[in-house]
Amino acid sequence: MGTNNTQETLPDIRQTIVLNAPIQKVWDAVATSDGIAAWFMPNDFQPELGYEFHLEAGPFGKSPCKVTELDPPNRLTFAWGKDWSLTFELIALEGKTEFTLIHAGWDAAKVTEFGQPHGEIRKHMSEGWTGLVGRLGKHVEA
């Protein structure tokens, strides 16, 4: 380690699920505006590297995001808010898709734009993602 900054990194939230749907169908659900809106949040996303967009986070208003990695149909990463990044990883498995969500950028010393400590929010988000990934599953397996 040897650094004396006060960063206290918290582990990424990682959730992996095998979806009974082909990879292209899952990609369309996680890398198009309509797809993301169907299971996550309304948005004005475009699948373009460097594209800046917003997630409509209900009572929290518009969350600024920016596409930082785009490798269809296997990987999409975008910066979310001031500290976070969200990655969707897809692996084709004979007609099914292994989907991993990675929510990174947690730091015990930081608070969100809304003044909530990362540690506290991380717990809620981790539980929230379980539900959201389940919704994604229902969406693509329908």
Side-chain angles (χ1 to χ4, degrees):
M1 295 301 243
T3 54
N4 55 3
N5 63 6
T6 55
Q7 269 201 325
E8 231 188 290
T9 310
L10 298 167
D12 296 349
I13 294 174
R14 265 183 179 267
Q15 300 205 353
T16 300
I17 185 173
V18 174
L19 299 166
N20 192 13
I23 192 166
Q24 190 59 50
K25 186 173 185 186
V26 178
W27 178 256
D28 290 345
V30 300
T32 64
S33 180
D34 288 351
I36 293 168
W39 64 277
F40 185 29
M41 290 184 200
N43 63 87
D44 54 2
F45 171 84
Q46 292 286 334
E48 289 168 30
L49 202 56
Y51 188 80
E52 296 187 16
F53 67 100
H54 288 85
L55 289 172
E56 302 274 350
F60 295 113
K62 288 178 188 279
S63 239
C65 301
K66 182 179 180 173
V67 179
T68 56
E69 200 177 346
L70 186 66
D71 178 18
N74 299 110
R75 192 175 167 95
L76 165 68
T77 302
F78 56 86
W80 180 16
K82 63 184 180 66
D83 297 314
W84 292 332
S85 76
L86 206 52
T87 299
F88 302 143
E89 275 180 0
L90 291 69
I91 299 168
L93 307 169
E94 295 176 9
K96 296 184 179 181
T97 306
E98 183 182 284
F99 172 77
T100 301
L101 175 143
I102 304 159
H103 185 173
W106 299 99
D107 182 337
K110 291 185 176 173
V111 294
T112 67
E113 290 89 318
F114 310 104
Q116 299 147 304
H118 274 205
E120 199 176 286
I121 288 295
R122 187 184 174 285
K123 205 174 66 185
H124 292 300
M125 291 290 257
S126 186
E127 290 160 12
W129 280 124
T130 305
L132 283 165
V133 169
R135 280 175 58 181
L136 170 64
K138 287 192 181 77
H139 175 65
V140 298
E141 292 176 356

